[in-house]
């Protein structure tokens, strides 16, 4: 039986629903080329800012028993580099390229959206805030601020775009943020960013594992899978098919990916697992997803996408 795991996100065809999350190993052109030549169905680039950033002091990423902690602080080469990289990547292959924009101000975001209008990127993932920018609150937790930013970028963007969201934990917050998003031409949400401001310590040295913010950093990987599932499910219900959902957070095998799609995701990004296992992770996860679909008798994603049954 032939299993089809292709999907369209905002009308952009992806040969499979599995691709890289913004963040891990996607800052330089060399790294992006590795993703391009892997089985990842798209190349998502590192979140960019207007100017080059060195990021936070090291150590700023550590693997944990079931995941990761990071406080990178947005190290990136500045948006001009990613406009250039998108052109270089598109010369090599048709694989979709996704820009991730994470400006420090509304004006920076508007300027970067305009710049990517005249680039060959297929999609833009607007990341209104990293949990690791020192002195800056997580924008996704402020619906009023989200509204202002989405209004501004919606006016200028000629590319289809989506929004990367932090995880929410209170049911009323899902509704508040969904109501804001529904006002604008947002094609997809990417749920979830890392769970902000966790703390990992070494009991022997009695010190934090990472240096920035007294050791606080975003938690990713297996620890967050159930939060991801809940966020995907709630937004799937609230958007009623009008906004697609890309699930990200804690996927390390094909069955994890299946679960997110069952909850309502149209596609699934891989972050920590890519960093820990290398680019072979994309192919492995795709093959495992296909195998599990075969076991279930499913031929395509829409046979089960969003169809979580009541208990
Ligand atoms: C960084 C972390 C994030 O979770 C994010 O969305 C953007 C940037 C960082 O620390 O580099």
């Amino acid at each position: 039986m032939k299993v089809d795991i292709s999907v369209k996100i905002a009308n952009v065809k992806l040969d499979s629903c599995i691709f890289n999350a913004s963040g891990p190993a996607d800052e330089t052109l060399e790294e992006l080329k590795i993703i391009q030549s892997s089985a990842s169905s798209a190349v998502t680039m590192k979140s960019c800012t207007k100017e080059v950033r060195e990021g936070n002091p090291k150590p700023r990423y550590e693997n944990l028993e079931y995941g990761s902690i990071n406080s990178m602080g947005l190290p990136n080469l500045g948006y001009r580099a990613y406009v250039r990289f998108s052109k270089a990547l598109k010369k090599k292959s048709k694989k979709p390229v996704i820009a991730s924009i994470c400006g420090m101000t509304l004006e920076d975001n508007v300027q970067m959206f305009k710049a990517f209008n005249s680039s060959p990127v297929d999609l833009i993932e607007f990341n209104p805030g990293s949990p690791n920018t020192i002195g800056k609150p997580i924008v996704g937790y402020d619906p009023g601020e989200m509204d202002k930013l989405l209004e501004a970028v919606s006016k200028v963007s000629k590319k289809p775009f989506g929004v990367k969201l932090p995880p929410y934990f209170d049911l009323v917050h899902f509704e508040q943020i969904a109501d804001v998003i529904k006002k604008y031409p947002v094609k997809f949400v990417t749920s979830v960013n890392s769970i902000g401001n966790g703390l990992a310590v070494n009991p022997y040295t009695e010190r934090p594992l990472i240096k920035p913010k007294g050791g606080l950093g975003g938690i990713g990987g297996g620890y967050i899978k159930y939060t991801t599932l809940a966020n995907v499910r709630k937004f799937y219900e609230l958007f009623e098919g009008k906004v697609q959902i890309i699930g990200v957070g804690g996927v390390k095998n094909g069955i994890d990916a299946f679960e997110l799609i069952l909850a309502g995701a149209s596609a699934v990004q891989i972050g920590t697992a890519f960093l820990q296992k290398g680019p072979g992770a994309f192919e492995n996860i795709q093959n495992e997803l296909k195998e599990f679909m075969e076991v279930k008798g499913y031929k395509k994603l829409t046979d089960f996408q969003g169809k979580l049954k009541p208990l």
Side-chain angles (χ1 to χ4, degrees):
M1 187 171 73
K2 189 111 180 64
V3 171
D4 178 7
I5 59 166
S6 70
V7 68
K8 274 187 179 173
I9 298 290
N11 259 343
V12 174
K13 173 92 190 281
L14 305 180
D15 289 342
S16 105
C17 59
I18 307 290
F19 59 100
N20 74 302
S22 184
D26 59 355
E27 191 185 333
T28 65
L29 184 58
E30 205 178 5
E31 289 174 318
L32 292 165
K33 283 180 179 166
I34 292 170
I35 297 166
Q36 189 178 41
S37 49
S38 78
S40 176
S41 64
V43 184
T44 315
M45 302 191 286
K46 173 72 183 168
S47 289
C48 63
T49 51
K50 201 170 132 193
E51 304 304 335
V52 179
R53 283 173 61 94
E54 292 274 324
N56 292 339
K58 294 177 183 172
R60 56 192 188 182
Y61 172 90
E62 287 295 326
N63 288 317
L64 305 174
E65 193 177 0
Y66 300 112
S68 60
I69 185 166
N70 89 85
S71 182
M72 304 300 289
L74 271 165
N76 78 95
L77 301 170
Y79 76 95
R80 296 173 191 86
Y82 298 98
V83 169
R84 271 202 322 275
F85 294 170
S86 67
K87 290 177 188 163
L89 291 166
K90 280 291 184 180
K91 274 190 194 140
K92 294 216 159 206
S93 101
K94 290 202 172 93
K95 188 179 277 195
V97 174
I98 306 174
S100 172
I101 294 181
C102 187
M104 293 289 152
T105 65
L106 182 145
E107 293 73 25
D108 286 5
N109 283 312
V110 166
Q111 186 176 338
M112 290 191 276
F113 265 87
K114 282 183 182 163
F116 279 107
N117 280 342
S118 42
S119 80
V121 302
D122 297 273
L123 296 169
I124 294 177
E125 190 176 81
F126 178 38
N127 184 1
S130 146
N132 305 326
T133 315
I134 293 165
K136 233 185 148 223
I138 299 173
V139 175
Y141 293 140
D142 183 340
E145 192 60 28
M146 278 286 271
D147 200 329
K148 282 186 210 149
L149 288 169
L150 288 179
E151 184 183 13
V153 302
S154 297
K155 277 189 190 145
V156 297
S157 187
K158 294 194 169 68
K159 298 279 181 182
F161 73 95
V163 192
K164 178 89 169 254
L165 296 174
Y168 300 95
F169 304 97
D170 191 337
L171 296 186
V172 72
H173 294 158
F174 289 105
E175 288 167 22
Q176 287 169 351
I177 215 72
D179 284 346
V180 171
I181 286 170
K182 280 188 207 159
K183 291 169 65 180
Y184 301 103
V186 174
K187 301 288 187 212
F188 62 92
V189 297
T190 306
S191 277
V192 297
N193 208 324
S194 57
I195 299 185
N197 297 316
L199 174 65
V201 300
N202 180 329
Y204 300 98
T205 62
E206 303 182 5
R207 295 178 206 278
L209 294 193
I210 59 170
K211 191 168 177 68
K213 291 176 80 175
L216 299 191
I219 304 295
Y223 300 104
I224 80 169
K225 187 178 92 171
Y226 303 95
T227 297
T228 307
L229 276 163
N231 276 256
V232 166
R233 187 67 188 164
K234 286 314 294 177
F235 284 123
Y236 181 76
E237 290 170 358
L238 287 164
F239 288 133
E240 298 172 315
K242 294 186 192 87
V243 180
Q244 289 182 291
I245 298 150
I246 301 176
V248 57
V251 173
K252 62 181 178 322
N253 60 44
I255 292 183
D256 293 334
F258 181 92
E259 291 178 8
L260 259 59
I261 296 162
L262 184 67
S266 295
V268 172
Q269 295 177 344
I270 312 299
T272 298
F274 164 43
L275 205 56
Q276 293 181 341
K277 298 178 184 174
F282 301 113
E283 194 176 356
N284 290 339
I285 293 168
Q286 282 170 23
N287 288 339
E288 290 159 6
L289 173 62
K290 285 185 195 166
E291 274 166 33
F292 193 65
M293 284 172 62
E294 274 194 43
V295 169
K296 290 269 181 172
Y298 293 140
K299 295 191 178 69
K300 54 188 190 307
L301 298 174
T302 47
D303 290 345
F304 65 98
Q305 189 216 343
K307 295 183 179 163
L308 181 66
K309 295 172 190 161
L311 195 58

